[in-house]
Amino acid sequence: MDGLGALIIAPTRELALQTFEVLRKVGKQHDFSAGLIIGGKDVKEEQMRIRSTNIVICTPGRLLQHFDETASFHCDDLKVLVLDEADRILDLGFKNTMNAIIDNLPEDRQTLLYSATQTKSVQDLARLSLKNPEYIAVHENSKYATPKKLTQNYVELNLEDKINFLYSFIKNHLKSKCIVFLSSCKQVKFIYETFRKFRPGVLLLSLYGKQSQMKRIGIYQKFCNSPHAVMFATDIAARGLDFPAVNWVLQFDCPESTDTYIHRVGRTARYEKGGQALLMLLPSEVNLIEQLKERKVPIHEIKANPKRIRSVEGKLQGFCAQDQEIKHWAQRSIVSYARSVHLQRDKSIFDVKKLNLEEFARSCGLLAPPKIRFMKKLDKKMGRSDSTASTKSNDSYSKLGIEVLAERCKNSDSEVDDSDIESESGSPAVGRKMKLVGSDDDEDGDDILVKKKGKQHHESIKIDSEADDIKLSKKEKPKLSSKATLAKKLLRKKIKVNTKVIFNEDGEAKVDSTDENKSQQEEDGSNLSDGHESTEGEGFGGIDLKAAKERMKKEDKIDRQRERKRIREKHKEIKRKEKQERVAKTSRAEVTLGGEVTLGGGDIDLDVSLSENEDDVDGFSQSTRQVVNESDESDEEEAPKKKRRKFLKKKKSKKLDDVESSEAQRESTIAEDEELALRLLGVV
């Protein structure tokens, strides 16, 4: 067979990949060629192979790209068109893409639509040019629209308690395989990254649309091969994917419709296997239960066991304070969640005005909710005044920062009795305390969920911060005092600032003035004020900064002069001592040279100062005079540099060594002369 004969279109890449793998196993013995055309792969390689492919499995976007860019690709010989998850492909999200694809397909073909929630819209069927379609339903006459072995329950929670409940559920089901569905990619990213830091003791994975294709395939295969794991995912994993042995399906956010709910819970209880599904609803979203019952979905209400709930709010606040990236993820997740609720069509279930975003932000670790632009526009359309909104925000956030963090840590340290959870009137009570994350009670039982008995109201979960906010709203807002008022109070009390108290030996207090160097400056004869005294601190409660700077500059100048003077005196004293030692040595040498030697009682007087030694003596006296002159000249300098002083010291030490060596030579020559004279006289 030449050319394209069958075209299979799936809404997601994972579903197309799964269909292609099944086709490879089934068509192993056939001669047909098949190809997988999805995003994230090399387009040029696909263009080379798509021309000789008989069966193409693809996603709508990549197929339309080949219609536009691949010149030799056409569907003139197409016989079969298959739309998997047809209701999703024909939805508004793929409307323009599918219309362009259908325009390139021949009308003479067989069209097959597959979905668990099949569309019966005449408009959708007309777009596909279907004439007299035959509708086949597997569960149309059955009692329920979902599998019999699927147990379905829902729990009613407040928005700020969802994260605590989810973490507690994971800790109590460590040996289960769970899928948690959220409404947006940013929520999946935030929950996954923060729960990874908690290290709950089970493999955590995330699957959403903004990941690369290879990463999505790797996560899909890893979750399929893991016996125990928790995967956070968007609705990208809600349709058609066959995950083996999934025990639980949790819906963290309310599904947009009953069809989405049926597809989500369809990831468990597959092919005569059992499974359980749990739906987490807000009090404003309970109307969805009536719609599910109309669609033949058996679902029952259960309530959360407060003794098994663990609070992670303090941990999240610490993560947001330490890591700015986690803080940004938290802010973006809140904005994306509010936007997803705002864009839903069924306003009887989804009402963004009923969301307590302030408490939800605190449960995510933020001290204040992020700014949401479309919420401000919505408030203006509804005619809400800015003054009421500002007063409400001021009352609710009159106490933030370290105080809130400290209170959150205190509130999460203990538990509360069951009697404090619900008031007599049936309204949710305030002040319930949750278990801390680090508790040792980590059993794997299902005690976190309790079946509902009778017509009792659901026990909602509240945190102590709500009670604190109510108390703060009742109290009057404290007035802020300015610096001027504080200064006036100090003047009235006649308190002298910038003074220190010194105690003597008897324990009596003495007040020391601010000018500590005044007496010392007067001794040095320096005038710091340039002829006028500073009146600073006399009757005033502050410091004149300009005057203080000038005074400090003058004091520094005086200190430098005093230090230079001390160093000069020290050097003069050293040089004076060296000079005295040199003079003493020269005097001893002159006495030795000027003496007369009498030999053998004769009449010959020998002058020891011979002609050969006269030059040495003159050189020595000349060198000593030169050293003395250099020392006198150095004394007259006011502030010689340090390096110059060291160099002079080295030079003088060298000259002194030369003098000592010359003295030793002179003594040796004198002894030789004496011996020579004795030989001449014949004494020796």
Side-chain angles (χ1 to χ4, degrees):
M1 180 180 178
D2 297 332
L4 181 62
L7 184 62
I8 303 173
I9 303 176
T12 62
R13 300 174 186 179
E14 286 76 19
L15 184 57
L17 176 62
Q18 179 178 289
T19 306
F20 179 72
E21 294 295 334
V22 174
L23 181 61
R24 287 179 60 188
K25 295 177 182 179
V26 174
K28 189 182 295 183
Q29 304 298 330
H30 296 278
D31 296 333
F32 296 110
S33 60
L36 178 65
I37 308 299
I38 59 175
K41 297 172 64 179
D42 189 6
V43 180
K44 294 183 179 180
E45 185 179 354
E46 290 180 353
Q47 288 176 348
M48 296 174 60
R49 298 184 179 185
I50 196 173
R51 303 168 186 172
S52 59
T53 305
N54 303 132
I55 303 173
V56 171
I57 303 171
C58 60
T59 53
R62 181 51 67 94
L63 178 62
L64 183 61
Q65 183 179 358
H66 281 288
F67 276 130
D68 296 336
E69 298 179 3
T70 306
S72 60
F73 177 65
H74 61 86
C75 297
D76 296 338
D77 299 328
L78 184 68
K79 301 298 181 182
V80 179
L81 172 64
V82 179
L83 301 182
D84 196 4
E85 304 295 340
D87 58 334
R88 180 70 182 94
I89 290 179
L90 297 176
D91 199 0
L92 296 176
F94 296 98
K95 181 179 180 181
N96 298 330
T97 305
M98 287 304 301
N99 290 338
I101 291 173
I102 291 170
D103 292 340
N104 290 280
L105 301 180
E107 295 183 359
D108 187 11
R109 67 178 187 275
Q110 183 182 8
T111 304
L112 304 175
L113 310 180
Y114 292 94
S115 178
T117 54
Q118 189 58 268
T119 179
K120 294 183 181 181
S121 174
V122 177
Q123 184 178 0
D124 292 339
L125 298 178
R127 287 166 57 194
L128 298 172
S129 301
L130 296 181
K131 298 178 181 179
N132 300 322
E134 185 176 354
Y135 183 77
I136 302 173
V138 179
H139 301 288
E140 184 177 10
N141 298 323
S142 61
K143 186 178 180 180
Y144 301 115
T146 53
K148 295 180 181 179
K149 295 185 178 181
L150 176 61
T151 304
Q152 303 174 70
N153 298 297
Y154 76 93
V155 59
E156 186 178 344
L157 296 170
N158 292 320
L159 182 59
E160 62 270 18
D161 302 325
K162 280 189 171 184
I163 295 179
N164 296 330
F165 179 83
L166 177 61
Y167 177 78
S168 303
F169 183 90
I170 293 173
K171 288 293 291 183
N172 284 277
H173 298 82
L174 296 178
K175 295 184 179 180
S176 300
K177 196 171 185 178
C178 307
I179 301 178
V180 182
F181 286 103
L182 297 99
S183 60
S184 64
C185 299
K186 294 175 182 178
Q187 283 181 278
V188 173
K189 180 72 172 176
F190 170 68
I191 295 294
Y192 170 69
E193 293 295 339
T194 52
F195 277 39
R196 279 178 62 192
K197 291 181 174 292
F198 292 149
R199 298 182 181 274
V202 67
L203 176 64
L204 299 179
L205 301 170
S206 63
L207 184 64
Y208 51 94
K210 293 185 179 180
Q211 294 172 326
S212 63
Q213 181 59 35
M214 296 304 296
K215 187 175 182 179
R216 286 166 63 173
I217 294 174
I219 292 171
Y220 169 77
Q221 294 176 350
K222 190 173 184 179
F223 183 73
C224 291
N225 298 329
S226 300
H228 312 299
V230 177
M231 184 174 71
F232 305 100
T234 57
D235 284 334
I236 195 174
R239 288 177 174 266
L241 297 182
D242 185 15
F243 298 110
V246 175
N247 305 114
W248 280 90
V249 171
L250 269 75
Q251 302 187 48
F252 187 82
D253 295 325
C254 181
E256 60 182 4
S257 63
T258 55
D259 293 342
T260 304
Y261 173 85
I262 293 174
H263 283 285
R264 284 180 174 181
V265 299
R267 300 316 98 211
T268 184
R270 299 180 69 83
Y271 189 64
E272 297 183 354
K273 293 182 180 179
Q276 299 186 71
L278 180 63
L279 174 62
M280 301 165 63
L281 292 178
L282 301 178
S284 60
E285 299 170 346
V286 181
N287 293 334
L288 180 69
I289 303 302
E290 299 298 330
Q291 298 181 10
L292 291 175
K293 291 180 178 179
E294 291 177 1
R295 290 290 303 271
K296 299 181 181 181
V297 175
I299 187 169
H300 307 283
E301 182 182 3
I302 57 176
K303 56 184 179 180
N305 185 2
K307 294 182 180 180
R308 304 288 295 176
I309 300 294
R310 301 183 179 124
S311 176
V312 295
E313 183 178 344
K315 289 280 187 179
L316 291 175
Q317 287 176 350
F319 293 155
C320 292
Q322 294 173 2
D323 193 347
Q324 289 296 320
E325 191 175 5
I326 293 179
K327 181 180 178 181
H328 293 322
W329 289 337
Q331 293 173 344
R332 293 169 186 168
S333 67
I334 295 171
V335 174
S336 63
Y337 172 71
R339 185 183 291 111
S340 66
V341 174
H342 176 64
L343 295 177
Q344 298 298 333
R345 289 175 290 179
D346 193 351
K347 297 302 179 184
S348 62
I349 299 174
F350 302 98
D351 190 358
V352 72
K353 300 173 191 175
K354 295 181 181 180
L355 299 178
N356 192 353
L357 296 179
E358 296 177 0
E359 293 296 333
F360 184 49
R362 292 186 184 182
S363 67
C364 293
L366 301 175
L367 296 179
K371 294 181 180 179
I372 304 175
R373 295 181 180 178
F374 72 87
M375 290 286 289
K376 294 182 179 179
K377 295 179 181 179
L378 187 62
D379 292 341
K380 289 182 180 179
K381 289 182 181 179
M382 298 302 295
R384 243 185 229 180
S385 62
D386 297 336
S387 60
T388 56
S390 63
T391 53
K392 183 178 179 181
S393 62
N394 290 333
D395 292 339
S396 59
Y397 295 110
S398 58
K399 183 166 60 177
L400 293 176
I402 303 300
E403 297 177 1
V404 174
L405 289 173
E407 288 181 5
R408 297 292 79 75
C409 294
K410 291 179 182 178
N411 294 338
S412 61
D413 288 337
S414 60
E415 300 178 8
V416 76
D417 296 333
D418 296 339
S419 59
D420 295 333
I421 297 172
E422 191 171 6
S423 61
E424 295 178 358
S425 59
S427 61
V430 180
R432 196 191 63 77
K433 298 185 179 180
M434 297 182 177
K435 264 192 180 180
L436 197 63
V437 176
S439 61
D440 298 330
D441 192 6
D442 291 336
E443 298 177 1
D444 295 331
D446 298 340
D447 297 337
I448 190 172
L449 302 175
V450 181
K451 291 185 179 180
K452 184 179 179 181
K453 298 179 181 180
K455 296 184 178 180
Q456 296 178 356
H457 291 276
H458 173 65
E459 297 179 357
S460 60
I461 304 171
K462 286 285 183 178
I463 305 175
D464 285 346
S465 59
E466 189 172 350
D468 296 337
D469 293 339
I470 293 172
K471 292 178 181 178
L472 286 174
S473 62
K474 291 181 180 179
K475 293 181 180 179
E476 295 182 358
K477 188 178 178 180
K479 295 182 179 179
L480 297 176
S481 57
S482 62
K483 293 182 178 180
T485 55
L486 293 174
K488 289 178 180 179
K489 288 181 180 179
L490 291 175
L491 289 174
R492 292 193 196 101
K493 294 180 180 180
K494 297 181 180 180
I495 297 175
K496 292 184 179 180
V497 296
N498 301 323
T499 58
K500 65 179 181 179
V501 180
I502 300 175
F503 295 91
N504 56 13
E505 295 178 355
D506 299 333
E508 297 177 356
K510 293 181 180 181
V511 179
D512 189 17
S513 61
T514 56
D515 193 0
E516 298 178 357
N517 298 325
K518 190 175 290 184
S519 59
Q520 190 175 5
Q521 292 169 2
E522 289 177 357
E523 293 176 359
D524 298 334
S526 62
N527 186 9
L528 300 180
S529 305
D530 293 335
H532 63 274
E533 294 293 333
S534 176
T535 59
E536 177 189 353
E538 297 179 1
F540 296 95
I543 298 176
D544 189 358
L545 295 179
K546 293 182 179 179
K549 288 180 180 179
E550 292 177 359
R551 186 174 69 251
M552 291 299 297
K553 288 180 181 179
K554 294 175 182 179
E555 289 178 356
D556 291 340
K557 186 176 180 181
I558 293 170
D559 291 339
R560 286 195 294 270
Q561 292 176 358
R562 188 182 298 111
E563 183 66 17
R564 288 173 187 168
K565 185 178 179 181
R566 186 185 65 81
I567 293 171
R568 284 198 300 270
E569 291 177 355
K570 185 177 180 181
H571 283 293
K572 285 181 181 180
E573 183 67 24
I574 294 171
K575 291 172 184 176
R576 194 179 298 112
K577 290 180 180 180
E578 292 177 353
K579 183 178 179 182
Q580 291 175 359
E581 291 178 357
R582 288 195 298 271
V583 171
K585 289 180 181 179
T586 53
S587 63
R588 286 196 299 270
E590 289 176 356
V591 169
T592 306
L593 293 173
E596 294 182 355
V597 179
T598 303
L599 301 173
D603 297 329
I604 299 175
D605 294 330
L606 182 61
D607 189 3
V608 182
S609 56
L610 299 176
S611 61
E612 294 178 356
N613 297 329
E614 285 178 2
D615 296 335
D616 297 335
V617 174
D618 294 338
F620 170 72
S621 60
Q622 190 176 1
S623 64
T624 55
R625 284 195 299 273
Q626 186 177 358
V627 171
V628 172
N629 291 332
E630 287 178 358
S631 64
D632 295 338
E633 290 175 1
S634 63
D635 293 339
E636 293 176 358
E637 294 178 0
E638 289 184 0
K641 296 184 179 179
K642 239 180 182 181
K643 293 183 179 179
R644 180 66 178 170
R645 292 196 210 99
K646 291 181 179 179
F647 177 76
L648 290 174
K649 285 182 181 180
K650 290 180 180 179
K651 188 174 181 181
K652 291 174 184 178
S653 62
K654 287 182 180 179
K655 289 183 179 181
L656 291 175
D657 294 339
D658 294 339
V659 171
E660 292 176 359
S661 62
S662 64
E663 290 178 359
Q665 291 177 2
R666 186 170 59 253
E667 291 176 359
S668 63
T669 55
I670 291 170
E672 291 174 0
D673 292 341
E674 289 178 352
E675 186 179 358
L676 179 62
L678 292 173
R679 286 180 181 178
L680 290 174
L681 293 172
V683 177
V684 180

